[in-house]
Amino acid sequence: MQKNLEFWKRFCRNKGAVVGLLIIVAVILMAIFAPLLYPDSPWKLVQRPFIPPMELDGYWFGTDTLGRDIGAGLVHGARVSLLVGLTSTVVALLIGVTLGAFAGYYGGLVDDGVMRFTELFQTVPNFALAIVLVAIMQPSVESVILAIGIVSWPPVARLVRGEFLSLRSREFVQASMVLGQSNARIILTQILPNTLSPVIVMTSLMVATAILLESALSFLGLGDPDVMSWGYMIGAARTVLRQAWWMSFFPGVMILLTVLALNLVGEGLNDAMNPRLARKSR
Amino acid sequence: MGKLSFIARRLVKGVFVLLAIVILNFLLIRLAPGDPAQVMAGEAGAADQEFIQQLQEKFGLNQPLHEQLFIYLKGVLTLDLGWSYRQDEAVATLIFERLPATLLLTGTAFCFALTFGVLLGALAAARVGRWTDSLITVLALVCYATPLFWVALMSILLFSVYLGWLPGFGMFSVGAGYTGLEFVLDVLRHLILPALTLGLFYMAVYTRMTRASMLEVMEMDYVKTARAKGLAPGRITRMHVLRNALLPVITLAGIQAGQMVGGAVLTETVFAWPGIGRLMFDALLQRDYNLLLGVFLVSSAVVVLFNLVTDLVYTFVDPRIEVS
Amino acid sequence: MAFNRSLKAAAFASVATLAFVAGPALAEEPKQGGTANVVIQPEPPSLNLGMVQNAPTQMVAGNIFESLLKYDTNLDPVPNLATEWEVNEDGTVYTFHLKEGVKWHDGEDFTAEDVIFSMDEMLRETNPRLRVNLDHVEKMEALDDYTVRFTLKQPFGPFLGLFEVGTVPMWPAHIYQGTNYQETADDNDPIGTGPFKFEEWDRGSYIHLVANEDYHVEGQPYLDEIYWHVIPDAASRAVAYENGEVDVLPGGSIENFDVPRLAEMDNTCMTTKGWEYFAPLAWMWLNNREGPLADKRVRQAIMYAIDNEFAQEVVWNNQGRVATGPVNSVTRFYTDDVTDYSYNPDKAEELLDEAGYDGEEISLLPLPYGETWQRWAEAVQQNLEEVGINVDMEATDVGGWNQRLNEWDFDMAFTYLYQYGDPALGVTRNYISSNIEKGSPWNNVAGYENERVDELAEQGAVAFPDEKRAEIYKEMQQILVEDVPVAWLLELEFPTIYRCDVKNLVTTAIGVNDGFGDAWLDR
């Protein structure tokens, strides 16, 4: 309890992190209350096409090529962008941290085996692999999440493995080994906590990357066609960039804000977990 | 001697990785609905079972899967990447025609990203907490958070359409008949926008990575010791901090050099850059199996090479890692 | 020959600011020289028109190869490699007199032997669409070096409409006869008789054609060379035109939303002509086999529920016309005397109630050809959901789309097909029961069966003369429109955008596909 309080105190000392957290909370609330804010489906053709923002009451964000409300799209899009971003990152972390820890800690054959496996995934350009996976599984929210998760874990594995490799030869780990602590205990209590901060920094980046990957897939026509996402909106706006800047501008801003917020929060967490560093940098 | 055998062993491993990739991709791609015979029959505007079978026979698609795989592997081992039926050309020819363009694009983007990424990251870390740091951090965040293709289109709009400074597509002015230095300059002018667009994202990644990593290392005991010993701060940064902080950056850079080929799909599409990224995407949509496998294989080979180099650099930078 | 054809004035889009050019300006004397920069999208797989029939190949190679005839924008045949032709009284024997002194690009003479080789040997094997039509031909013979006679089994109304360059390109027998041309034609060095010769192909960048100095039409070609630029992104193609890097945007090269903006530029002309032969018609396949769509009333409800005018105005930016049935109104034997399915959501709901539709999910497969088609599918999905149809949009790519249609794995699927100027060539194939066969996205994919339609389609192809065919096809159209085997959407138009000083570009029914021989630059 006391520890939690300390953590929060340190987290809140980073103003950027607090702002980030507020934005995230706002986006999450938006996603939850989307049906109340905009009861109609974001796909519904509600007005004439290409209404610029602030021109017509009730359509503050303008309308798109077919006369759909951009505002509705933004609010409903928060749901799937967050869902895809978070879920696929969890998938990637589960795979990546596990494999990376094993490889880096045990070294030798285990390391070889895992790293060869990682290299398989890593050596194929991951964006292309994501497209192939989505194409095979048919584009849908699930296949997009899975594909992004599957292509995103190798950096985590390599990072964690690199940290393990480097930390393993450190004195404090060597000492624990000499003292005869179990491997699991050393991994979980000695090494893993020390790798957390780069992993956390990476996680926040990964959620962002996942959101960007999803938009890139939609850009190429491989998103879930039944779900309105920010990525889809930018993809659809691309051909009319000159005529309707607002169509890509607003979803772009949403992505930017969300990604920015995620990063700020990540940094706040980093500060809160690495008190020495945090004190130094303030 | 130790280093040489290390390299040799990594090379052998690399070959096995590539082989595994080929088999994995071979099976994966065939799981996708549709095959090249159907696509080509469809494109002909008229198709019937007979025509599709005719094509399937021609492409060898009517043989059992394991035999197709065997034939393909046999070809690969003799450096024959097969025939692209859709493009009606040898896969190797198609790829090596396009590879230089992609290498130029990704190479430039990579150098730009790494140089500026490390510089900005180091600068931010050195000035941590000050406005320079904040500015760089925000800049990196914005670059990181903006979709690649959006930046690409915006830069075309701004620099090509409105300002008219730079060409917006292609690799050189077709029909201009430039030779020698003129041609090189022409290509460079065409290169700027796509390379910057592609590089911005990665620059942001390296900036963040370098900064985070340097801050981490600065807190390490040996740095503190060095400081306590009264070594000059500049020397500490160069000798201890940067050297150690670059470890994760190198790991990441080695990985991303190859991943950039994937990122090049979008850049090459928007800028009409005649590279293998685009070749790969078209091959994918049209189920041009041999071509797709070939592109995967070649780009994977490039990555294996990069990984090898990364490992080597790693051993030089961090002597604690044994070469065994 | 007065074809039963109605060219509507409405064919010309209603955007007042657009400049239209009506036909060739004959008064002007063509100037020699110059380079045409043209967009080609996507990059063709090959220029061997005899082996590959996809659209980009036709567009480039149509200027390298030639056929016996050309077609004007009214679909009337005009001489090309054949200078004259005769038909016997009962329409079963066609005799073509070939132009003398025509040379292949390698200097050899073009003769009747080439015609027989191309049509009787090569294309029969390589062009499945032509193969079906050549079944009507009993024998082809070369009477002498410059006369070819086709004897048909029975009259085949559209026979004279076959000789378009993309359908029946002439191939050099002296190169390919006796070889395994599947293999020998793999190189990209096409030898034709056309106004332009192949020079260079830098894959991923451009295809370079140069003028054929020995072309058989006096004075032609006027242009020195053509560059076909491969630019894979629609926005980049628009920019390339704006920057002046290309002069011609063939139909469909840019997004519809960019058309008005580019058309307003200085020295810019636009025409919707040059697509009459293809007359593309868009519709939605409805899987007639099972589920709610097996019920005619549900299919009719879908017709009433779709707001095609909205799609024409908004999705297609005022290009094209609302389709009234299976035959494009610029194609021969079109009739508008059919059931009218103007937008009527109330009627649609009534019909759904009547049919007892219970909200079962119906899947919709868009055409994976870019943003416009995706937007269109989304609009139609909204139309259908508004009347209570539960639509599940699916995503797919080119490979997946082909496979799912080939395997009949769909409920509703967008498509568009060419009509090739005649119902017997490009319409009946989609509705006759003998054409229900897996493995093609272009046959009777919907699985519609109607004996009377089968009969009429068969009679229509062989009836003689045209008045009789018109009568038969009218009845066929009326039955089809009543039955709604597929949901017809729009008659598509793909405007060609070009600099006004590129003269005489679109003079035939296939437009830029064979247009560069006549074209010249007023610069």
Side-chain angles (χ1 to χ4, degrees), chain B residues 214-279:
Chain B
M214 278 188 64
L215 289 182
E216 189 110 340
V217 174
M218 275 181 195
E219 285 304 308
M220 298 253 174
D221 289 337
Y222 62 91
V223 179
K224 284 186 171 167
T225 313
R227 225 176 257 135
K229 278 200 293 192
L231 287 179
R235 190 178 156 80
I236 295 175
T237 307
R238 271 197 309 278
M239 292 300 295
H240 298 279
V241 180
L242 201 56
R243 189 174 153 138
N244 286 291
L246 280 182
L247 277 179
V249 179
I250 289 171
T251 313
L252 199 73
I255 295 163
Q256 246 142 16
Q259 296 300 346
M260 256 189 192
V261 178
V265 175
L266 290 169
T267 323
E268 288 180 3
T269 303
V270 177
F271 287 103
W273 191 264
I276 60 170
R278 238 176 70 208
L279 195 66

Side-chain angles (χ1 to χ4, degrees), chain C residues 66-363:
Chain C
E66 289 182 297
S67 189
L68 298 186
L69 305 175
K70 285 189 173 191
Y71 300 89
D72 65 18
T73 52
N74 294 324
L75 292 175
D76 290 326
V78 292
N80 194 27
L81 289 176
T83 47
E84 289 168 59
W85 55 93
E86 297 116 33
V87 193
N88 73 343
E89 258 178 34
D90 52 2
T92 52
V93 178
Y94 287 77
T95 312
F96 288 82
H97 301 280
L98 306 181
K99 193 166 179 177
E100 298 188 24
V102 176
K103 302 248 187 246
W104 291 102
H105 291 165
D106 62 1
E108 296 286 321
D109 283 329
F110 164 78
T111 64
E113 190 197 351
D114 296 308
V115 181
I116 303 294
F117 165 72
S118 302
M119 292 187 71
D120 215 14
E121 201 177 320
M122 180 152 186
L123 292 168
R124 257 191 213 277
E125 187 173 326
T126 58
N127 187 338
R129 182 164 55 79
L130 183 66
R131 180 159 60 205
V132 179
N133 295 318
L134 288 186
D135 282 346
H136 294 272
V137 180
E138 185 160 342
K139 64 178 176 198
M140 305 180 199
E141 17 177 16
L143 300 184
D144 57 51
D145 268 2
Y146 297 100
T147 314
V148 180
R149 189 168 70 192
F150 297 87
T151 310
L152 310 190
K153 293 171 187 159
Q154 70 248 325
F156 182 50
F159 188 72
L160 263 188
L162 282 180
F163 295 88
E164 175 258 345
V165 62
T167 312
V168 183
M170 286 301 130
W171 273 70
H174 68 276
I175 296 180
Y176 292 107
Q177 194 150 41
T179 68
N180 179 5
Y181 40 78
Q182 296 269 11
E183 295 298 323
T184 43
D186 275 338
D187 64 319
N188 286 300
D189 186 19
I191 300 290
T193 58
F196 289 89
K197 293 192 290 191
F198 176 79
E199 176 71 20
E200 188 196 3
W201 186 350
D202 188 357
R203 281 186 187 269
S205 293
Y206 61 85
I207 297 168
H208 184 196
L209 307 184
V210 294
N212 173 9
E213 305 291 338
D214 302 320
Y215 188 50
H216 58 82
V217 177
E218 192 56 39
Q220 287 191 1
Y222 306 108
L223 297 168
D224 291 335
E225 53 184 355
I226 312 172
Y227 278 98
W228 297 88
H229 297 266
V230 179
I231 308 169
D233 182 75
S236 306
R237 291 192 283 274
V239 170
Y241 183 83
E242 284 174 292
N243 289 350
E245 296 190 49
V246 300
D247 303 315
V248 179
L249 295 169
S253 3
I254 57 168
E255 295 289 344
N256 296 326
F257 305 105
D258 273 337
V259 170
R261 184 168 51 84
L262 293 195
E264 276 172 33
M265 287 175 60
D266 284 345
N267 186 25
T268 294
C269 292
M270 187 171 100
T271 178
T272 53
K273 283 182 174 282
W275 283 84
E276 294 78 6
Y277 188 77
F278 302 118
L281 186 72
W283 67 76
M284 210 164 60
W285 290 115
L286 304 175
N287 198 332
N288 284 223
R289 295 176 184 84
E290 55 190 8
L293 296 179
D295 190 322
K296 183 165 103 180
R297 288 166 299 189
V298 175
R299 301 199 299 266
Q300 287 171 334
I302 288 172
M303 279 295 275
Y304 283 117
I306 296 174
D307 188 352
N308 281 325
E309 306 230 331
F310 175 84
Q312 192 264 344
E313 277 167 34
V314 174
V315 179
W316 285 92
N317 231 51
N318 284 313
Q319 298 164 34
R321 303 167 293 272
V322 172
T324 59
V327 180
N328 190 315
S329 56
V330 299
T331 300
R332 300 171 69 191
F333 310 116
Y334 164 83
T335 177
D336 60 1
D337 185 12
V338 291
T339 316
D340 175 25
Y341 288 102
S342 298
Y343 180 53
N344 188 344
D346 295 335
K347 180 108 188 187
E349 282 180 48
E350 250 171 59
L351 280 161
L352 286 174
D353 282 346
E354 219 177 280
Y357 170 69
D358 58 358
E360 190 182 322
E361 196 171 76
I362 300 177
S363 74

Side-chain angles (χ1 to χ4, degrees), chain B residues 53-71:
Chain B
Q53 272 164 13
Q54 197 180 319
L55 289 174
Q56 282 175 336
E57 253 164 59
K58 188 179 165 193
F59 304 162
L61 294 171
N62 50 348
Q63 290 163 3
L65 198 60
H66 62 271
E67 265 175 45
Q68 290 182 44
L69 178 61
F70 182 68
I71 292 169

